[in-house]
Amino acid sequence: MNPNWKEETFCRSCGDEKLVHMLNLGTMPPANAFLESADMAKDEPAFPLRVAVCPKCFSVQLQDTIDPAALFSREYYYFTGASQPLVKHFEDFGTRLAAEFHLQKKDLVVEMGSNDGVLLGAIAPYARVLGVDPATNVGVEAEKKGVKTIQAFFGEKSATDIVRTEGHARLILANNVFAHIPDIHDVIRGIKVLLADDGQFIAEMHWVGNLMGAGGFDQIYHEHIHYFSLHSLMYLFETVHGLTISRVELIPIHGESLRMFVTKGGAVDQSVPDFLKKEKMLGLDRVEEYLNFSSRVTQTKNTLFQTLTDLKQSQKKVVGYGAPAKGNTLLNFCGIGPDLLKYIVDTTPTKQNTYTPGSHIQVVSPDILKTDIPDYVLLLSWNYADAILEKEKELRARGVKFIIPVPVVRIV
Ligand code: JHZ
């Protein structure tokens, strides 16, 4: 048994209840473990990927934990800056935060999982910023943008160190990172230590309502331990830790993400009860609703595999577009390899000339599409479909069709 893998049976969030299994995606390598050519001959560690729901607090989470040090304390292949729509999203958000919170140079803004510093870079002209990220390479890019970055996991210990050297934070930000942490309680203890009394913790994370409905099951991979609803977040932040979720927003990023604002107490905006009502209508406070998910996932898998197999039989050239982490869940779960996808194009320089984990499809620069015109493109980065379809309008005008895999397989 791999020492980096552990099975959980009890809810990581409320700690009280035994988890109820809802989906098994098989065994696969971590989604961001792209392979260099020299790694191809080596044994590739692979781990079970199973999802469960807690019948008490409705927290959806993996049954399998991989030691975060093995996933994140290394070179990280994902750079926020490689996706233009995401850069715009965070630059706009940074400008909005500066205006809404009247940020001044004396204010400290800390971001956990700050990656290459796109968001903090947008806030840096207004306030003191500090990134915290365990990866060995992304902080170097952030520093180039003037974003001081500590290489560490955010938690009670790092928060205490930051208070000692920098003081308390007016804002603590967490975008697509809060759901990545097995010991979520250590992170919340860190937030309580670091946050000024009138400060706010603001987090964006994929919303389980989107995952269960229009979103893709491919957003499930070992890095994503938790799949939160507002119901489960309320239990965690309010019941367990005595903090207040004061406002929520649903934003169109990675399908649909939930943005929540947390304070140490005070007024609660109408958006919170309204959103809870919406979740109740979707059945997110009932275990049975979660148990239906598996059959929908199997349906997508079968349709996608059949579509690609048919195209291969008709001798069509099919390539992948985007090599996101989520694409690796899709490829591995659906059994899609180099026999069905000739290569995958991706804008991230660190991913180019690597191979996808598990499925071993080569990732190359999008420049190849200037000379090697495919018949079909499987859009693995489906969350940027509008932007990519617009960007590739010349390819489409030449007759190239795009296959969008989720929520149901469709060809445009
Ligand atoms: P993207 C990331 O997941 C990583 P991923 C992380 N694990 C997380 O939590 C989630 O976000 C939420 C490429 N691309 O953003 C760039 C093009 O090639 O969907 C990226 O490799 N051309 C922290 O990896 C990938 O697609 C383009 O025009 O699933 C997109 O990755 C565009 C727009 C993107 O996240």
Side-chain angles (χ1 to χ4, degrees):
M1 199 175 301
N2 191 306
N4 290 329
W5 171 80
K6 191 165 133 251
E7 182 174 17
E8 302 298 330
T9 40
F10 281 88
C11 175
R12 294 177 183 83
S13 197
C14 71
D16 289 347
E17 285 287 335
K18 271 202 156 173
L19 294 168
V20 177
H21 172 78
M22 57 179 262
L23 176 68
N24 189 346
L25 291 174
T27 296
M28 58 182 81
N32 268 313
F34 288 85
L35 299 165
E36 307 290 338
S37 312
D39 301 328
M40 293 286 279
K42 297 183 192 152
D43 255 3
E44 201 179 359
F47 306 90
L49 184 56
R50 297 167 297 167
V51 188
V53 58
C54 170
K56 179 172 171 187
C57 70
F58 305 108
S59 158
V60 173
Q61 54 200 277
L62 295 189
Q63 288 167 257
D64 305 285
T65 308
I66 303 185
D67 182 356
L71 290 179
F72 302 113
S73 301
R74 60 201 280 283
E75 288 229 339
Y76 198 52
Y77 281 92
Y78 183 78
F79 283 76
T80 306
S83 297
Q84 263 320 305
L86 203 56
V87 171
K88 175 158 185 354
H89 166 74
F90 286 127
E91 287 180 348
D92 290 351
F93 185 46
T95 313
R96 172 186 149 184
L97 288 176
E100 193 173 317
F101 290 91
H102 307 291
L103 292 177
Q104 297 173 27
K105 277 289 177 193
K106 66 177 174 44
D107 294 324
L108 174 67
V109 178
V110 175
E111 185 182 20
M112 60 182 88
S114 45
N115 197 269
D116 53 4
V118 171
L119 174 58
L120 288 183
I123 299 175
Y126 308 96
R128 279 186 301 137
V129 297
L130 179 66
V132 184
D133 198 299
T136 53
N137 57 337
V138 292
V140 177
E141 287 305 311
E143 298 270 354
K144 286 184 196 159
K145 299 184 181 83
V147 174
K148 186 171 153 191
T149 307
I150 301 172
Q151 193 196 328
F153 282 100
F154 184 88
E156 193 170 8
K157 181 179 175 313
S158 49
T160 309
D161 292 345
I162 295 171
V163 173
R164 204 172 299 128
T165 54
E166 310 281 344
H168 288 93
R170 177 88 193 286
L171 297 179
I172 303 177
L173 309 175
N175 297 293
N176 305 311
V177 62
F178 187 69
H180 294 51
I181 305 157
D183 186 359
I184 208 81
H185 302 288
D186 182 47
V187 176
I188 300 179
R189 284 194 298 272
I191 293 167
K192 286 165 110 169
V193 167
L194 178 60
L195 199 62
D197 286 344
D198 61 349
Q200 302 217 11
F201 168 60
I202 306 171
E204 266 178 44
M205 66 204 87
H206 186 225
W207 175 50
V208 78
N210 179 258
L211 181 84
M212 303 289 298
F217 70 87
D218 52 353
Q219 311 236 37
I220 299 167
Y221 44 93
H222 297 103
E223 282 184 14
H224 293 172
I225 298 280
H226 308 268
Y227 304 82
F228 287 112
S229 60
L230 181 57
H231 274 81
S232 57
L233 288 165
M234 295 283 282
Y235 196 95
L236 178 64
F237 278 86
E238 306 212 354
T239 312
V240 180
H241 287 281
L243 292 166
T244 302
I245 299 181
S246 59
R247 185 166 32 133
V248 290
E249 294 168 1
L250 190 62
I251 50 171
I253 206 85
H254 299 300
E256 279 175 319
S257 296
L258 190 62
R259 180 184 282 152
M260 68 167 178
F261 297 74
V262 177
T263 58
K264 288 190 167 172
V268 174
D269 185 71
Q270 185 58 32
S271 55
V272 174
D274 285 352
F275 204 82
L276 287 172
K277 204 157 129 199
K278 177 186 171 102
E279 287 192 344
K280 268 186 191 297
M281 278 163 57
L282 293 171
L284 299 181
D285 59 342
R286 289 195 305 274
V287 167
E288 310 80 67
E289 189 58 36
Y290 294 92
L291 303 184
N292 295 328
F293 187 48
S294 180
S295 60
R296 298 206 294 270
V297 170
T298 308
Q299 214 173 339
T300 302
K301 170 184 177 164
N302 294 341
T303 314
L304 185 60
F305 186 77
Q306 195 55 52
T307 305
L308 295 179
T309 308
D310 291 348
L311 290 173
K312 183 185 172 189
Q313 268 162 10
S314 358
Q315 304 198 330
K316 299 291 184 201
K317 190 197 289 176
V318 188
V319 305
Y321 199 109
K326 68 176 92 56
N328 291 324
T329 294
L330 191 83
L331 298 172
N332 285 316
F333 179 63
C334 298
I336 299 166
D339 55 326
L340 295 177
L341 282 193
K342 195 177 167 204
Y343 53 76
I344 297 174
V345 300
D346 193 284
T347 47
T348 319
T350 45
K351 289 182 187 174
Q352 291 166 7
N353 303 316
T354 65
Y355 292 82
T356 52
S359 56
H360 297 180
I361 303 171
Q362 193 173 18
V363 182
V364 295
S365 157
D367 287 346
I368 197 170
L369 296 177
K370 290 181 190 149
T371 49
D372 188 54
I373 311 292
D375 298 303
Y376 286 80
V377 168
L378 174 62
L379 188 52
L380 294 162
S381 298
W382 53 263
N383 45 322
Y384 304 119
D386 291 348
I388 290 174
L389 291 178
E390 172 60 25
K391 182 164 121 183
E392 299 301 351
K393 55 179 184 257
E394 275 178 34
L395 269 187
R396 296 179 69 210
R398 295 179 72 160
V400 178
K401 301 260 182 283
F402 277 68
I403 307 168
I404 303 182
V406 298
V408 282
V409 180
R410 65 196 166 100
I411 298 179
V412 294

